Amino acid sequence: MEASPRSWRPRPGLTRTQRSREQDRAAGSASNRLVDVGGGRRGLASVALTPSGKTGRVSAVLQWTSDGRRRRLRLGEVDLPTRSANLREAWRLAGQTGLLVGEDTAGSWASSPATRASMRSNRSRDTKPELRLRSLLHREGLRYRVSTKPVPHLRRTADVVFSKARVAVFVDGCYWHGCPEHGSIPATNRDFWKGKIEGNIRRDRETDRLLTEAGWTVIRVWEHTPPTEALEVVRQSLAQPPGQPLRANGR
C-alpha cells in the first residue's frame, strides 16, 4: 500500500520562500538546518520526502549543496499522517547524524552547549500543552485557526484563534513568559535573561491591551495548566461578549 499523498506531498504552488519557511518550521529554525560545507563555510540543508512503494511508508532524505555538488543522505523512513509531522520527525533524525552544526556560537547569548540545546528545545508552536488543548477543543466540536494573527495589521500571533467569536488563546511557556510558580532565571548571564523575560512579560501585556482595544477577548494559559481547566475557560469566553484578558490558573 502506497503512502498517502497527504503524508509527503507539498502543497502545490508554494514559492521558494514558502518552501524554505516550511523547512525552518519543521527544523525549529533556519539555524537548525545548517551543515558544514567545507572551508569553514555553512550551508542550508533541506529534507525531501518521497513515498516508498515497497513499504508504504515515507522515505526521508537530507540534502544540501557543497562545492557545486548536490549531497544526499538517507535518514530512513517516517510514518506519520501529515507532511508537516513527517518533516519534523525527519529533522529529528537529521539531528542524530552529527552533520548539523547550528549557528556560530562565538559570543553566543547562551552560556554553554547545554543551555543552547535547552533553548532550541523550546518550540514556538505545536508544543505539547498546545496540542493537548487543541485536541480537547476539537473533541468539543469547536473549530479554530492555529498560529495566526487575530488582527492582520498587528504583529501578534496567537496559538489558537476563534475569529467569529473574537477570542485569542495564548499558551505561554513558564520559562519564557515568567510564570510566578515555575519560572526561574539562570544564574549565568542573569542580567541578560532577566531583561529578556521581563521584556516578554511587557510584550504580553501590550498584546493583551492591543487586542482588547480591538474588540478581542484574550485568554492566556500557562503550560502547566490542566488542559480541562483551560478548556473550561475557553468555553466560557466563547459564550460571552469580548471582554477583559483572562488568565487560566491565575497570573
Side-chain angles (χ1 to χ4, degrees):
M1 179 179 178
E2 188 170 314
S4 166
R6 183 169 175 263
S7 66
W8 62 272
R9 182 177 293 167
R11 285 189 297 140
L14 290 181
T15 65
R16 182 176 180 178
T17 298
Q18 288 171 327
R19 291 196 300 269
S20 182
R21 287 176 179 170
E22 179 189 44
Q23 295 283 334
D24 291 348
R25 288 193 297 269
S29 71
S31 65
N32 290 345
R33 296 170 52 197
L34 293 174
V35 296
D36 187 349
V37 297
R41 294 173 293 117
R42 300 178 181 197
L44 278 179
S46 62
V47 166
L49 301 178
T50 55
S52 172
K54 294 182 179 179
T55 65
R57 292 159 67 94
V58 175
S59 178
V61 174
L62 186 70
Q63 53 190 23
W64 67 99
T65 300
S66 177
D67 296 325
R69 298 180 58 185
R70 194 71 164 172
R71 312 287 184 176
R72 292 169 59 88
L73 175 68
R74 188 174 185 276
L75 298 171
E77 292 186 337
V78 290
D79 191 27
L80 294 169
T82 65
R83 173 178 169 83
S84 60
N86 280 325
L87 281 176
R88 288 196 298 270
E89 177 62 13
W91 277 108
R92 186 188 69 79
L93 296 174
Q96 298 174 356
T97 65
L99 291 173
L100 303 181
V101 295
E103 75 277 11
D104 185 355
T105 58
S108 171
W109 43 259
S111 58
S112 68
T115 301
R116 284 191 292 274
S118 175
M119 295 307 101
R120 287 184 191 132
S121 69
N122 288 282
R123 302 173 64 174
S124 61
R125 61 168 289 177
D126 294 338
T127 61
K128 289 182 180 179
E130 285 181 43
L131 294 175
R132 286 193 289 264
L133 175 58
R134 280 158 43 186
S135 177
L136 290 180
L137 293 171
H138 194 274
R139 198 178 304 168
E140 289 282 313
L142 300 172
R143 298 299 176 258
Y144 47 82
R145 299 179 67 190
V146 173
S147 190
T148 192
K149 296 177 182 177
V151 180
H153 68 271
L154 290 179
R155 296 181 60 184
R156 299 294 194 273
T157 300
D159 298 310
V160 177
V161 173
F162 297 89
S163 300
K164 186 175 181 180
R166 300 175 75 82
V167 172
V169 183
F170 296 82
V171 182
D172 293 339
C174 289
Y175 178 85
W176 286 111
H177 295 267
C179 170
E181 293 183 42
H182 306 105
S184 62
I185 299 175
T188 304
N189 293 339
R190 182 176 178 83
D191 289 342
F192 173 86
W193 289 115
K194 184 173 183 291
K196 182 75 171 175
I197 293 170
E198 288 177 348
N200 289 342
I201 294 172
R202 287 194 297 271
R203 182 178 171 84
D204 289 344
R205 290 173 178 166
E206 182 186 46
T207 297
D208 295 348
R209 178 181 60 79
L210 292 172
L211 291 178
T212 301
E213 289 175 352
W216 285 73
T217 293
V218 179
I219 298 174
R220 291 196 173 271
V221 179
W222 289 120
E223 63 176 324
H224 67 257
T225 303
T228 51
E229 181 178 326
L231 170 65
E232 185 59 30
V233 173
V234 173
R235 186 190 291 144
Q236 291 177 7
S237 69
L238 291 174
Q240 300 174 359
Q244 296 298 314
L246 303 173
R247 164 64 80 179
N249 211 31
R251 177 144 204 171

